[in-house]
Amino acid sequence: MTVASAPSSQLDDRELLRRYHVDGDRSARELLVQRHLPLVRALARRYAGRGESLEDIEQVGAIGLIKAIDRYELSREVALTTYATPNVVGEIKRHFRDKGWAIRIPRGLQELNAKMSSTIERLTAKLGHSPSIAEIAIELQTTPESVLEAMEAGSAYAPVSLSAGPGQEGELDPMETIGTEDANFERSEQRASLEPALEMLPDREREILRMRFEDGLTQTQIAEQVGVSQMHVSRLIRKSLARMRAELS
Amino acid sequence: MPHDTIELTTPVGRDWDPVVRLVLGGIADRLNLGFEELDDLQLAVERLLLEAGTQDSVMLAFDISETGVRTRIGPLRAGALAEALQGPPPPPGELTLRRILETVVDSFGVEQVAEDGQLIVRLEKVVRGA
């Protein structure tokens, strides 16, 4: 059996990198990403407990992995894991520095916010419905006011695209859309339809909007299907709508 | 629970959204709304506040009863917004403000204000099992 005819999953990193960079085989790139996600998860865990959910940190780390794969030069005599590790860590650090908390939030609130995502998921499964503020507060042994504050603190956090990868760097940060003057107010009918801007969204975020607003799935149901937390779905929906609207403005 | 009303006049702009979200959060806590229902109501209000565009301020009135909360937002200077909300339903696959509101609140409506074309949008969110 020649190397070329071997199942892709059996090929080593170097051959997959060659197929991607030389032959333009994007499935090889996908396979590399999947293969090294455990590395991303391991690195992301080092940064857990700093006010952001592990899931969010892993998403950021995955961007670093993709960038490492894309930037890898075949002439290098270094393993992909060795090359990718500083890229993943660098991406996570940069995220905490630049994109994590857009405004300064007290550490206690950040930590409470980070716990909320898993708490809501746990309570939703336990209660069979989306938990109330009071139920979340009891579970977290805090007050409803603190829960609301922590939720609000979460809105100061800029979420990471699910379909992050090359080409995402230039995307609008939600904070960039804040306070923009809307000089074309009279065009509200046109703005009321977000359709033209839908096409600019990454496939997965478009799919989430479709599931929510066309299929009528709840955030919890979408979260289960997509494999992220309900809070992350909420953030992505808001971010997508804001981005679409900014595009139309 | 008696019928209660909270009225809030707020400057228009994303910087002020947190104030509105916190008020809605307090109401949701009072009504025992689920986290997702609160999130939906916040999204609906935020979308309508965006439609307030260049207005300096807008009034929000929250009528709270044991069965739910009715939110009235306005006056909004957008005649076309009324068409967008009152016209025929959007075709499948089209994402419009109307479709968003249809998804995230139990019902909504538009009230005309006097003859100046301004309008108030009414959103209803029902407490499950009430």
Side-chain angles (χ1 to χ4, degrees), chain A residues 116 120 130-134 136 144 148-149 151-152 155 177-179 181-183 185-186 188-189 191-195 198 209 212-214 218-220 230-231 234 237-238 241-242 244-245, chain B residues 14-15 17-18 21-22 25-26 28-29 32-40 42-43 46-47 50-55 77-81 83-84 92-100 103-104:
Chain A
M116 277 184 47
I120 289 169
S130 182
S132 67
I133 302 300
I136 297 169
L148 291 172
E149 275 191 88
M151 280 172 60
E152 194 49 46
S155 71
T177 67
I178 290 176
E181 278 291 312
D182 192 348
F185 183 62
E186 294 305 317
S188 59
E189 186 175 25
R191 285 190 289 107
S193 173
L194 300 169
E195 199 64 18
L198 195 57
L209 290 183
R212 181 71 185 106
F213 296 112
E214 200 172 325
T218 64
Q219 291 177 8
T220 301
Q230 181 256 310
M231 282 185 79
S234 167
I237 287 174
R238 275 185 157 76
L241 291 175
M244 289 165 68
R245 198 176 184 289
Chain B
R14 296 291 296 273
D15 290 350
D17 281 358
R21 281 197 296 265
L22 282 172
D29 182 37
N32 230 19
L33 284 181
F35 175 82
E36 273 200 59
E37 293 164 304
L38 166 60
D39 198 65
D40 282 345
Q42 287 175 331
L43 180 64
E46 282 171 29
R47 296 309 304 174
L50 272 173
E51 295 303 329
T54 54
Q55 284 180 227
R77 288 194 305 249
L81 181 60
E83 290 175 34
E94 189 168 312
L95 184 54
T96 62
L97 177 62
R98 177 174 171 148
R99 186 174 297 285
I100 291 170
T103 304
V104 296

Coordinates of all heavy atoms in Angstrom, one line a residue, chain A residues 116 120 130-134 136 144 148-149 151-152 155 177-179 181-183 185-186 188-189 191-195 198 209 212-214 218-220 230-231 234 237-238 241-242 244-245, chain B residues 14-15 17-18 21-22 25-26 28-29 32-40 42-43 46-47 50-55 77-81 83-84 92-100 103-104:
Chain A
M116 N -21.6 30.3 36.0 CA -23.0 30.3 35.6 C -23.3 29.4 34.5 O -24.4 28.7 34.5 CB -23.5 31.8 35.3 CG -23.8 32.5 36.6 SD -24.4 34.1 36.3 CE -25.6 33.9 35.1
I120 N -26.2 26.7 35.0 CA -27.4 26.8 34.2 C -27.7 25.4 33.5 O -28.8 24.9 33.5 CB -27.4 27.9 33.2 CG1 -27.5 29.3 34.0 CG2 -28.6 27.8 32.2 CD1 -27.3 30.5 33.2
S130 N -35.6 25.9 32.0 CA -34.6 26.9 32.2 C -34.7 27.5 33.6 O -35.8 27.9 34.0 CB -34.8 28.0 31.2 OG -33.7 29.0 31.3
P131 N -33.6 27.5 34.4 CA -33.7 27.9 35.8 C -34.0 29.4 35.9 O -33.6 30.2 35.1 CB -32.4 27.5 36.4 CG -31.4 27.6 35.2 CD -32.2 27.1 34.0
S132 N -34.7 29.7 37.0 CA -34.9 31.1 37.3 C -33.7 31.8 37.9 O -32.8 31.0 38.3 CB -36.1 31.3 38.2 OG -35.8 30.8 39.5
I133 N -33.7 33.1 38.0 CA -32.6 33.8 38.7 C -32.4 33.3 40.1 O -31.3 33.0 40.6 CB -32.9 35.3 38.7 CG1 -33.1 35.8 37.2 CG2 -31.7 36.0 39.4 CD1 -31.9 35.6 36.3
A134 N -33.6 33.1 40.8 CA -33.5 32.7 42.2 C -32.9 31.3 42.3 O -32.1 31.0 43.2 CB -34.9 32.7 42.8
I136 N -30.8 29.9 40.3 CA -29.4 30.0 40.0 C -28.7 30.5 41.2 O -27.6 30.0 41.6 CB -29.1 30.9 38.8 CG1 -29.8 30.3 37.5 CG2 -27.6 31.1 38.6 CD1 -29.8 31.3 36.3
P144 N -29.8 36.9 44.2 CA -30.3 37.1 42.8 C -29.6 38.4 42.2 O -29.3 38.4 41.0 CB -31.8 37.3 43.0 CG -32.1 36.5 44.2 CD -31.0 36.7 45.1
L148 N -27.6 38.6 38.6 CA -27.9 39.5 37.6 C -26.7 40.4 37.2 O -26.4 40.6 36.1 CB -29.1 40.5 38.0 CG -30.5 39.8 38.1 CD1 -31.5 40.7 38.7 CD2 -30.9 39.3 36.7
E149 N -26.0 40.7 38.2 CA -24.7 41.5 38.0 C -23.7 40.6 37.2 O -23.1 41.1 36.3 CB -24.1 41.9 39.3 CG -24.6 43.2 39.9 CD -23.7 43.6 41.1 OE1 -22.8 44.4 40.8 OE2 -24.0 43.2 42.2
M151 N -24.4 38.2 35.2 CA -24.9 38.0 33.8 C -24.6 39.3 33.0 O -24.1 39.2 31.9 CB -26.5 37.9 33.8 CG -27.0 36.5 34.2 SD -28.8 36.6 34.4 CE -29.3 37.1 32.8
E152 N -24.7 40.4 33.7 CA -24.4 41.7 33.0 C -22.9 41.8 32.7 O -22.5 42.2 31.7 CB -24.9 42.9 33.8 CG -24.9 44.2 33.1 CD -25.6 44.1 31.7 OE1 -26.7 43.5 31.6 OE2 -25.0 44.6 30.8
S155 N -22.0 40.2 29.6 CA -22.2 40.9 28.3 C -21.0 41.8 28.0 O -21.0 42.3 26.9 CB -23.5 41.7 28.4 OG -23.3 42.8 29.3
T177 N -19.4 48.1 17.6 CA -20.7 48.5 17.1 C -21.4 49.4 18.1 O -22.5 49.9 17.9 CB -21.6 47.3 16.9 OG1 -21.8 46.6 18.1 CG2 -20.9 46.3 15.9
I178 N -20.8 49.5 19.3 CA -21.5 50.3 20.4 C -21.5 51.8 20.1 O -20.5 52.3 19.7 CB -20.9 50.0 21.7 CG1 -21.2 48.6 22.2 CG2 -21.4 51.0 22.8 CD1 -20.6 48.1 23.4
G179 N -22.6 52.4 20.2 CA -22.7 53.8 20.1 C -22.5 54.4 18.7 O -22.3 55.6 18.5
E181 N -23.5 56.0 15.3 CA -24.5 56.9 14.9 C -25.3 56.3 13.7 O -24.7 55.7 12.8 CB -23.9 58.2 14.4 CG -23.7 59.2 15.5 CD -24.9 59.7 16.1 OE1 -25.8 60.1 15.4 OE2 -25.0 59.7 17.3
D182 N -26.6 56.3 13.7 CA -27.3 55.7 12.7 C -27.9 56.8 11.8 O -29.0 57.3 12.1 CB -28.4 54.8 13.3 CG -29.1 53.9 12.2 OD1 -28.8 54.2 11.0 OD2 -29.8 53.0 12.6
A183 N -27.2 57.2 10.8 CA -27.6 58.4 10.0 C -28.7 58.0 9.1 O -29.4 58.9 8.6 CB -26.4 58.9 9.2
F185 N -31.6 56.5 9.5 CA -32.7 56.0 10.3 C -34.0 55.8 9.4 O -34.7 54.9 9.7 CB -33.1 57.0 11.4 CG -34.2 56.6 12.3 CD1 -34.0 55.4 13.1 CD2 -35.3 57.3 12.4 CE1 -35.0 55.0 13.9 CE2 -36.4 56.8 13.2 CZ -36.2 55.7 13.9
E186 N -34.2 56.6 8.4 CA -35.4 56.5 7.6 C -35.4 55.2 6.8 O -36.4 54.8 6.3 CB -35.5 57.7 6.6 CG -35.7 59.0 7.3 CD -36.9 59.0 8.3 OE1 -38.0 58.4 7.8 OE2 -36.8 59.5 9.4
S188 N -35.4 52.4 8.0 CA -35.6 51.4 9.0 C -36.3 50.1 8.4 O -36.1 49.0 8.9 CB -36.4 51.9 10.2 OG -37.6 52.4 9.7
E189 N -37.1 50.3 7.4 CA -37.8 49.2 6.8 C -36.7 48.2 6.3 O -36.8 47.0 6.4 CB -38.7 49.6 5.7 CG -39.6 48.4 5.2 CD -40.6 48.8 4.2 OE1 -40.4 49.9 3.6 OE2 -41.6 48.1 4.1
R191 N -33.6 48.1 7.2 CA -32.9 47.6 8.3 C -33.6 46.5 9.1 O -33.1 45.7 9.7 CB -32.4 48.7 9.3 CG -31.3 49.5 8.7 CD -30.7 50.5 9.7 NE -31.6 51.5 10.0 CZ -32.3 51.6 11.2 NH1 -32.2 50.7 12.1 NH2 -33.1 52.6 11.4
A192 N -35.0 46.6 9.0 CA -35.8 45.7 9.7 C -35.6 44.3 9.2 O -35.8 43.3 9.8 CB -37.2 46.0 9.7
S193 N -35.1 44.2 7.9 CA -34.8 42.9 7.3 C -33.3 42.7 7.4 O -32.5 43.5 6.8 CB -35.3 42.8 5.9 OG -34.8 41.6 5.3
L194 N -32.9 41.7 8.1 CA -31.5 41.5 8.3 C -30.9 40.5 7.2 O -29.7 40.2 7.2 CB -31.2 40.9 9.7 CG -31.7 41.7 10.8 CD1 -31.6 40.9 12.1 CD2 -30.8 43.0 11.0
E195 N -31.8 40.1 6.4 CA -31.5 39.1 5.4 C -30.2 39.3 4.6 O -29.4 38.4 4.5 CB -32.7 38.9 4.5 CG -32.6 37.6 3.7 CD -32.8 36.4 4.7 OE1 -33.2 36.6 5.8 OE2 -32.4 35.3 4.2
L198 N -27.1 38.3 6.3 CA -27.0 36.9 6.8 C -25.9 36.1 6.1 O -25.2 35.3 6.7 CB -28.4 36.2 6.6 CG -28.6 34.9 7.3 CD1 -28.5 35.1 8.8 CD2 -30.0 34.4 7.0
L209 N -28.6 30.7 13.9 CA -29.7 31.7 13.7 C -30.9 30.9 13.1 O -32.1 31.2 13.4 CB -29.3 32.8 12.9 CG -28.3 33.8 13.5 CD1 -28.1 35.0 12.5 CD2 -28.8 34.4 14.8
R212 N -32.7 28.8 15.6 CA -33.4 29.6 16.6 C -34.6 30.3 16.0 O -35.7 30.2 16.6 CB -32.5 30.7 17.2 CG -33.1 31.5 18.3 CD -33.4 30.7 19.6 NE -34.1 31.5 20.6 CZ -35.4 31.3 20.9 NH1 -36.0 30.3 20.3 NH2 -36.0 32.0 21.8
F213 N -34.5 30.9 14.9 CA -35.5 31.8 14.4 C -36.4 31.2 13.3 O -37.4 31.7 12.9 CB -34.9 33.1 13.9 CG -34.3 33.9 15.0 CD1 -33.0 34.1 15.1 CD2 -35.1 34.4 16.1 CE1 -32.4 34.8 16.1 CE2 -34.5 35.1 17.1 CZ -33.2 35.3 17.2
E214 N -35.9 30.1 12.7 CA -36.7 29.4 11.7 C -37.3 28.1 12.2 O -38.5 27.9 12.1 CB -35.9 29.1 10.4 CG -36.8 28.9 9.2 CD -36.0 28.8 8.0 OE1 -34.9 29.6 7.9 OE2 -36.3 28.1 7.1
T218 N -35.1 26.1 21.2 CA -34.7 27.0 22.3 C -33.1 27.0 22.3 O -32.5 26.2 21.7 CB -35.2 26.4 23.6 OG1 -34.5 25.1 23.8 CG2 -36.7 26.2 23.6
Q219 N -32.6 27.9 23.1 CA -31.2 28.0 23.2 C -30.6 26.7 23.7 O -29.5 26.2 23.3 CB -30.8 29.2 24.1 CG -31.1 30.5 23.5 CD -30.7 31.7 24.4 OE1 -30.2 31.4 25.5 NE2 -31.1 32.9 24.1
T220 N -31.3 26.1 24.7 CA -30.8 24.9 25.3 C -30.8 23.8 24.2 O -29.8 23.0 24.2 CB -31.8 24.5 26.5 OG1 -31.8 25.5 27.4 CG2 -31.3 23.2 27.1
Q230 N -25.5 26.8 26.7 CA -26.6 27.7 26.3 C -26.2 29.2 26.4 O -26.6 29.9 25.5 CB -27.7 27.4 27.3 CG -29.0 28.2 27.0 CD -29.2 29.3 28.0 OE1 -29.1 29.1 29.2 NE2 -29.4 30.5 27.6
M231 N -25.4 29.5 27.3 CA -24.9 30.9 27.4 C -24.1 31.3 26.2 O -24.2 32.4 25.7 CB -24.1 31.2 28.7 CG -25.0 31.3 29.9 SD -24.0 31.7 31.4 CE -23.8 33.5 31.1
S234 N -26.4 32.0 23.4 CA -27.0 33.3 23.6 C -26.1 34.4 23.1 O -26.5 35.3 22.4 CB -27.3 33.5 25.1 OG -27.6 34.8 25.4
I237 N -25.8 34.4 19.3 CA -27.0 34.9 18.6 C -26.9 36.5 18.7 O -27.1 37.1 17.7 CB -28.3 34.4 19.3 CG1 -28.5 33.0 18.9 CG2 -29.5 35.3 18.8 CD1 -29.7 32.3 19.6
R238 N -26.6 37.0 19.8 CA -26.5 38.5 20.0 C -25.4 39.0 19.1 O -25.6 40.0 18.4 CB -26.2 38.8 21.4 CG -27.5 38.9 22.3 CD -27.1 39.4 23.7 NE -28.2 40.0 24.4 CZ -29.2 39.3 24.9 NH1 -29.2 38.0 24.8 NH2 -30.1 39.9 25.5
L241 N -26.4 38.9 15.4 CA -27.4 39.9 15.0 C -26.8 41.3 15.0 O -27.1 42.1 14.1 CB -28.6 39.9 16.0 CG -29.5 38.6 15.9 CD1 -30.6 38.6 17.0 CD2 -30.2 38.5 14.5
A242 N -25.9 41.5 16.0 CA -25.3 42.9 16.1 C -24.4 43.0 14.8 O -24.3 44.1 14.2 CB -24.4 43.0 17.3
M244 N -24.7 41.6 11.9 CA -25.5 41.8 10.7 C -26.0 43.2 10.6 O -26.0 43.8 9.6 CB -26.6 40.8 10.7 CG -26.2 39.3 10.5 SD -27.5 38.2 11.0 CE -28.7 38.5 9.7
R245 N -26.5 43.7 11.7 CA -27.0 45.0 11.7 C -26.0 46.1 11.5 O -26.2 47.0 10.7 CB -27.7 45.3 13.1 CG -28.7 46.4 12.9 CD -29.5 46.7 14.2 NE -30.4 47.7 14.0 CZ -30.1 49.0 13.8 NH1 -28.9 49.4 13.8 NH2 -31.1 49.9 13.7
Chain B
R14 N -26.3 52.0 22.9 CA -25.9 50.8 23.5 C -25.3 50.9 24.9 O -25.4 50.0 25.7 CB -24.9 50.1 22.5 CG -25.5 49.7 21.2 CD -26.6 48.6 21.3 NE -26.0 47.3 21.8 CZ -25.5 46.4 21.0 NH1 -25.4 46.6 19.7 NH2 -25.0 45.3 21.5
D15 N -24.8 52.1 25.2 CA -24.2 52.3 26.5 C -25.2 52.2 27.6 O -24.9 51.9 28.7 CB -23.5 53.7 26.6 CG -22.3 53.8 25.7 OD1 -21.8 52.7 25.2 OD2 -21.8 54.9 25.5
D17 N -27.9 50.1 27.4 CA -28.6 48.8 27.4 C -28.4 48.0 28.7 O -29.4 47.4 29.2 CB -28.0 47.9 26.2 CG -28.7 48.3 24.9 OD1 -29.5 49.2 24.9 OD2 -28.3 47.7 23.9
P18 N -27.3 48.1 29.4 CA -27.1 47.4 30.6 C -28.2 47.8 31.7 O -28.6 47.0 32.4 CB -25.7 47.8 31.1 CG -25.0 48.1 29.8 CD -26.0 48.7 28.9
R21 N -31.3 46.1 30.7 CA -31.2 44.6 31.0 C -31.3 44.3 32.5 O -31.9 43.3 32.9 CB -29.8 44.1 30.5 CG -29.8 43.9 29.0 CD -28.7 43.0 28.6 NE -27.4 43.6 28.8 CZ -26.7 44.3 28.0 NH1 -27.1 44.4 26.7 NH2 -25.5 44.8 28.3
L22 N -30.7 45.2 33.3 CA -30.8 44.9 34.8 C -32.2 45.1 35.3 O -32.7 44.3 36.1 CB -29.9 45.9 35.5 CG -28.4 45.5 35.5 CD1 -27.5 46.6 36.1 CD2 -28.2 44.2 36.3
G25 N -34.0 42.1 34.3 CA -33.5 41.0 35.2 C -34.3 41.0 36.5 O -34.7 39.9 37.0
G26 N -34.4 42.2 37.1 CA -35.1 42.3 38.3 C -36.6 41.9 38.2 O -37.1 41.2 39.1
A28 N -37.7 39.8 35.9 CA -37.7 38.3 35.7 C -37.6 37.6 37.0 O -38.2 36.5 37.2 CB -36.6 37.9 34.7
D29 N -36.7 38.1 37.9 CA -36.6 37.5 39.2 C -37.9 37.5 40.0 O -38.3 36.5 40.6 CB -35.5 38.2 40.0 CG -35.2 37.5 41.3 OD1 -35.3 36.3 41.4 OD2 -34.9 38.3 42.3
N32 N -40.2 35.0 38.5 CA -39.7 33.7 38.4 C -39.6 33.2 37.0 O -39.8 32.0 36.7 CB -40.6 32.7 39.2 CG -39.8 31.8 40.1 OD1 -38.6 32.2 40.4 ND2 -40.3 30.7 40.5
L33 N -39.3 34.1 36.1 CA -39.1 33.7 34.7 C -37.8 32.9 34.6 O -36.8 33.2 35.3 CB -38.9 35.0 33.8 CG -40.2 35.8 33.4 CD1 -39.8 36.9 32.5 CD2 -41.2 34.9 32.7
G34 N -37.7 32.0 33.6 CA -36.5 31.2 33.4 C -35.5 32.1 32.8 O -35.7 33.1 32.2
F35 N -34.2 31.6 32.9 CA -33.1 32.3 32.4 C -33.2 32.6 30.9 O -33.0 33.7 30.4 CB -31.8 31.5 32.6 CG -30.6 32.1 32.0 CD1 -29.9 33.2 32.7 CD2 -30.1 31.7 30.8 CE1 -28.8 33.7 32.1 CE2 -29.0 32.2 30.2 CZ -28.3 33.3 30.9
E36 N -33.7 31.6 30.2 CA -33.8 31.7 28.7 C -34.9 32.7 28.4 O -34.8 33.5 27.4 CB -34.2 30.4 28.1 CG -32.9 29.6 27.7 CD -33.3 28.5 26.7 OE1 -33.7 28.9 25.6 OE2 -33.1 27.3 27.0
E37 N -36.0 32.7 29.2 CA -37.1 33.6 28.9 C -36.7 35.1 29.1 O -37.0 36.0 28.4 CB -38.3 33.3 29.8 CG -39.0 32.0 29.5 CD -39.9 31.5 30.6 OE1 -39.4 31.4 31.7 OE2 -41.0 31.2 30.3
L38 N -35.9 35.3 30.2 CA -35.3 36.6 30.4 C -34.4 37.0 29.3 O -34.5 38.1 28.7 CB -34.5 36.6 31.7 CG -33.6 37.8 32.0 CD1 -34.3 39.1 32.0 CD2 -32.8 37.6 33.3
D39 N -33.6 36.1 28.8 CA -32.6 36.4 27.7 C -33.4 36.8 26.5 O -33.0 37.7 25.8 CB -31.8 35.1 27.5 CG -30.5 35.5 26.7 OD1 -29.7 36.2 27.2 OD2 -30.4 35.0 25.5
D40 N -34.5 36.0 26.2 CA -35.3 36.3 25.0 C -35.9 37.7 25.1 O -35.9 38.5 24.2 CB -36.4 35.3 24.9 CG -36.0 34.0 24.3 OD1 -34.8 34.0 23.8 OD2 -36.7 33.0 24.4
Q42 N -34.9 40.2 26.9 CA -33.8 41.2 26.8 C -33.5 41.5 25.3 O -33.3 42.6 24.9 CB -32.6 40.8 27.6 CG -32.7 40.9 29.1 CD -31.5 40.4 29.8 OE1 -30.9 39.4 29.4 NE2 -31.3 40.9 31.0
L43 N -33.4 40.4 24.6 CA -33.0 40.5 23.2 C -34.1 41.3 22.4 O -33.8 42.1 21.6 CB -32.9 39.1 22.5 CG -32.5 39.0 21.1 CD1 -31.2 39.6 20.8 CD2 -32.6 37.6 20.5
E46 N -33.8 44.9 23.3 CA -32.6 45.5 22.7 C -32.8 45.8 21.2 O -32.3 46.8 20.7 CB -31.4 44.5 22.9 CG -30.8 44.6 24.3 CD -29.8 43.5 24.5 OE1 -29.2 43.0 23.5 OE2 -29.6 43.0 25.6
R47 N -33.4 44.8 20.5 CA -33.6 45.0 19.1 C -34.5 46.2 18.8 O -34.2 47.0 17.9 CB -34.3 43.8 18.5 CG -33.6 42.5 18.5 CD -32.2 42.5 18.0 NE -32.1 43.1 16.6 CZ -31.0 43.3 16.0 NH1 -29.8 43.2 16.6 NH2 -31.0 43.8 14.7
L50 N -32.6 49.4 19.4 CA -31.8 49.7 18.2 C -32.5 50.5 17.2 O -32.0 51.4 16.5 CB -31.2 48.4 17.6 CG -29.9 47.9 18.2 CD1 -29.6 46.5 17.6 CD2 -28.8 48.8 17.9
E51 N -33.8 50.1 17.0 CA -34.7 50.8 16.0 C -35.0 52.2 16.4 O -35.5 52.9 15.6 CB -36.0 50.0 15.8 CG -35.7 48.6 15.2 CD -35.0 48.6 13.9 OE1 -35.1 49.6 13.2 OE2 -34.3 47.7 13.6
A52 N -34.7 52.5 17.7 CA -35.0 53.9 18.1 C -34.0 54.9 17.4 O -34.2 56.1 17.5 CB -34.9 54.0 19.6
G53 N -32.9 54.3 16.9 CA -32.0 55.1 16.1 C -31.4 56.3 16.7 O -30.8 56.2 17.8
T54 N -31.7 57.4 16.1 CA -31.0 58.7 16.6 C -31.9 59.4 17.6 O -31.6 60.6 18.0 CB -30.7 59.6 15.4 OG1 -32.0 59.8 14.7 CG2 -29.7 59.0 14.5
Q55 N -32.9 58.8 18.1 CA -33.7 59.5 19.1 C -32.9 59.7 20.4 O -32.0 58.9 20.7 CB -34.9 58.6 19.5 CG -36.0 58.6 18.5 CD -37.2 57.7 19.0 OE1 -37.7 56.9 18.2 NE2 -37.6 57.9 20.3
R77 N -39.9 56.8 16.3 CA -40.2 57.6 15.1 C -40.0 56.7 13.9 O -39.2 57.1 13.0 CB -39.2 58.8 15.1 CG -39.5 59.9 16.0 CD -38.7 61.1 15.6 NE -37.2 60.8 15.5 CZ -36.3 61.2 16.3 NH1 -36.6 62.0 17.3 NH2 -35.1 61.0 16.1
A78 N -40.7 55.7 13.7 CA -40.4 54.8 12.6 C -41.7 54.3 12.0 O -42.2 53.2 12.4 CB -39.5 53.7 13.0
G79 N -42.2 55.0 11.0 CA -43.4 54.5 10.3 C -43.1 53.2 9.6 O -44.0 52.3 9.6
A80 N -41.9 53.1 9.0 CA -41.6 51.9 8.3 C -41.5 50.7 9.2 O -41.7 49.6 8.8 CB -40.3 52.1 7.5
L81 N -41.1 51.0 10.5 CA -41.0 49.9 11.4 C -42.4 49.3 11.6 O -42.5 48.1 11.8 CB -40.5 50.5 12.7 CG -40.3 49.5 13.9 CD1 -39.3 48.4 13.5 CD2 -39.8 50.2 15.1
E83 N -44.8 49.1 9.4 CA -45.0 48.2 8.3 C -44.3 46.9 8.4 O -44.8 45.8 8.1 CB -44.6 48.9 7.0 CG -45.4 50.1 6.6 CD -44.8 50.8 5.4 OE1 -44.3 50.1 4.5 OE2 -45.0 52.0 5.3
A84 N -43.0 47.0 8.9 CA -42.2 45.8 9.0 C -42.8 44.8 10.0 O -42.8 43.6 9.9 CB -40.8 46.2 9.5
P92 N -40.6 32.0 4.6 CA -39.6 31.1 5.3 C -38.2 31.4 5.0 O -37.9 31.6 3.8 CB -40.1 29.7 4.9 CG -41.5 29.8 4.4 CD -41.6 31.2 3.9
G93 N -37.4 31.3 6.0 CA -35.9 31.5 5.7 C -35.5 33.0 5.7 O -34.3 33.2 5.7
E94 N -36.4 33.9 5.8 CA -36.0 35.3 5.9 C -36.0 35.8 7.3 O -37.0 35.6 8.1 CB -37.0 36.2 5.1 CG -36.5 37.6 4.9 CD -37.4 38.3 3.8 OE1 -37.6 37.8 2.8 OE2 -37.8 39.4 4.1
L95 N -34.9 36.4 7.7 CA -34.7 36.8 9.1 C -35.0 38.3 9.2 O -34.2 39.1 8.7 CB -33.3 36.5 9.5 CG -33.0 36.8 11.0 CD1 -34.0 36.1 11.9 CD2 -31.6 36.4 11.4
T96 N -36.1 38.6 9.7 CA -36.6 40.0 9.9 C -36.8 40.3 11.4 O -36.9 39.4 12.2 CB -37.9 40.2 9.1 OG1 -38.9 39.4 9.7 CG2 -37.7 39.9 7.7
L97 N -36.9 41.6 11.7 CA -37.3 42.0 13.0 C -38.5 41.3 13.5 O -38.6 40.8 14.6 CB -37.4 43.5 13.1 CG -37.8 44.0 14.5 CD1 -36.8 43.7 15.5 CD2 -38.1 45.5 14.4
R98 N -39.5 41.2 12.6 CA -40.8 40.5 13.0 C -40.5 39.1 13.3 O -41.1 38.6 14.3 CB -41.7 40.6 11.8 CG -43.0 39.9 12.0 CD -44.0 40.1 10.9 NE -45.2 39.3 11.0 CZ -46.4 39.6 10.6 NH1 -46.6 40.8 10.1 NH2 -47.4 38.8 10.8
R99 N -39.7 38.4 12.6 CA -39.5 37.0 12.9 C -38.8 36.8 14.2 O -39.1 35.9 15.0 CB -38.7 36.3 11.8 CG -38.6 34.8 12.0 CD -37.9 34.0 10.9 NE -38.6 34.1 9.6 CZ -39.7 33.4 9.4 NH1 -40.3 32.6 10.3 NH2 -40.3 33.5 8.2
I100 N -37.8 37.7 14.5 CA -37.1 37.7 15.8 C -38.1 37.9 16.9 O -38.1 37.1 17.9 CB -36.0 38.8 15.8 CG1 -34.9 38.4 14.8 CG2 -35.4 38.9 17.2 CD1 -33.9 39.5 14.6
T103 N -40.3 35.0 17.6 CA -39.6 33.9 18.3 C -39.4 34.1 19.7 O -39.5 33.2 20.6 CB -38.2 33.6 17.6 OG1 -38.4 33.4 16.2 CG2 -37.5 32.4 18.2
V104 N -39.1 35.3 20.1 CA -38.6 35.5 21.5 C -39.6 36.0 22.5 O -39.4 36.0 23.7 CB -37.3 36.5 21.5 CG1 -36.2 35.8 20.8 CG2 -37.7 37.8 20.9

